[in-house]
């Protein structure tokens, strides 16, 4: 939806009544998620009137779950039986005319099965936030294949300082994940590298185990 907000001190929100009795809400962060309280039983929990998340929030029990998926970084409210999202806000602090502009917003309300909903909403949110360009006659774009759907390809790029490829993989789940990597790129050596792409360890195979909420960067040269 498109929005042209012209008045100061207004907020646009959308709200849903949900009938799921659980004390926590799951909030998406980079390479994982965290849990926040839906209760107002302490001063800290009471102060968390609005909470941040990246692509999604989810309220779940053992059998049912509902989530909100967005393409932008929003504030969410998840107290009692309410789940809502702040779509736009006009304010004169810290800027003078924040939100007084043309903008657009979109979101998805997602009912899911409670048992597997964390993995499901992460998949849905990544698909919703991914841009799929139109391409011409290209024989094969499957440059990297992973045999575990819970492992995400976070980056595939050229190296900073040398003629190499960097592959970054992440495990956003709450469980350890084992997987193998198939790469259709020309290379002679493979290394685990740190965040500035310094080689730490040479690899003899492309089989890995990733702990929950962790990532690994691999250099191929």
């Amino acid at each position: 939806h498109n929005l042209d907000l012209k008045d100061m001190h207004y907020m646009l929100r959308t709200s849903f009544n949900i009938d799921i009795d659980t004390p926590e809400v799951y909030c998406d962060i980079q390479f994982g998620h965290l849990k926040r309280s839906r209760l107002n039983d302490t001063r800290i929990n009471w102060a968390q009137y609005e909470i941040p998340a990246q692509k999604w929030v989810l309220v779940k029990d053992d059998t049912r779950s509902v989530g909100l998926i967005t393409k932008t970084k929003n504030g969410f409210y998840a107290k009692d039986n309410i789940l809502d999202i702040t779509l736009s806000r006009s304010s004169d602090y810290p800027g003078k005319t924040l939100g007084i502009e043309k903008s657009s917003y979109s979101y998805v309300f997602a009912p899911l099965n409670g048992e597997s909903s964390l993995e499901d909403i992460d998949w849905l949110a990544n698909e919703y936030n991914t841009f799929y360009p139109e391409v011409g006659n290209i024989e094969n774009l499957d440059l990297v294949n992973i045999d575990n759907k819970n492992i995400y390809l976070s980056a595939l790029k050229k190296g900073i300082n040398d003629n190499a490829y960097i592959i970054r993989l992440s495990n956003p789940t709450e469980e350890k994940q084992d997987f193998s990597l198939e790469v259709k790129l020309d290379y002679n050596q493979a290394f685990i590298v740190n965040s500035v792409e310094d080689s730490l360890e040479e690899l003899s195979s492309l089989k890995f185990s990733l702990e929950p909420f962790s990532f690994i960067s691999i250099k191929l040269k």
Side-chain angles (χ1 to χ4, degrees), residues 16-27 34-42 44-51 57-61 64-66 76-84:
F16 301 91
N17 287 307
I18 58 174
D19 184 21
I20 299 179
D21 186 16
T22 179
E24 296 172 320
V25 56
Y26 293 82
C27 303
L34 54 80
K35 291 183 283 188
R36 297 185 185 275
S37 177
R38 295 176 66 203
L39 305 177
N40 288 318
D41 55 341
T42 67
I44 293 176
N45 290 341
W46 178 83
Q48 293 176 348
Y49 178 86
E50 187 172 74
I51 55 176
V57 295
L58 181 78
V59 177
K60 69 185 291 291
D61 59 19
R64 301 172 302 161
S65 64
V66 292
F76 297 86
Y77 177 84
K79 298 288 186 180
D80 301 320
N81 65 332
I82 301 296
L83 181 61
D84 77 13

Side-chain angles (χ1 to χ4, degrees), residues 96-115:
K96 293 185 178 298
T97 57
L98 293 175
I100 303 298
E101 59 185 355
K102 292 183 179 180
S103 60
S104 62
Y105 63 87
S106 62
Y107 61 89
V108 173
F109 180 75
L112 296 166
N113 180 289
E115 184 177 356

Side-chain angles (χ1 to χ4, degrees), residues 144-155:
V144 176
N145 290 318
I146 307 165
D147 65 356
N148 184 335
K149 71 173 186 177
N150 292 321
I151 297 297
Y152 288 174
L153 176 65
S154 300

Side-chain angles (χ1 to χ4, degrees), residues 115-152:
E115 184 177 356
S116 59
S117 55
L118 279 170
E119 292 80 9
D120 292 340
I121 197 169
D122 218 33
W123 264 103
L124 289 172
N126 277 286
E127 289 184 343
Y128 189 59
N129 279 268
T130 299
F131 171 69
Y132 296 96
E134 294 184 7
V135 297
N137 297 323
I138 297 178
E139 293 183 0
N140 194 348
L141 289 176
D142 294 331
L143 300 177
V144 176
N145 290 318
I146 307 165
D147 65 356
N148 184 335
K149 71 173 186 177
N150 292 321
I151 297 297
Y152 288 174

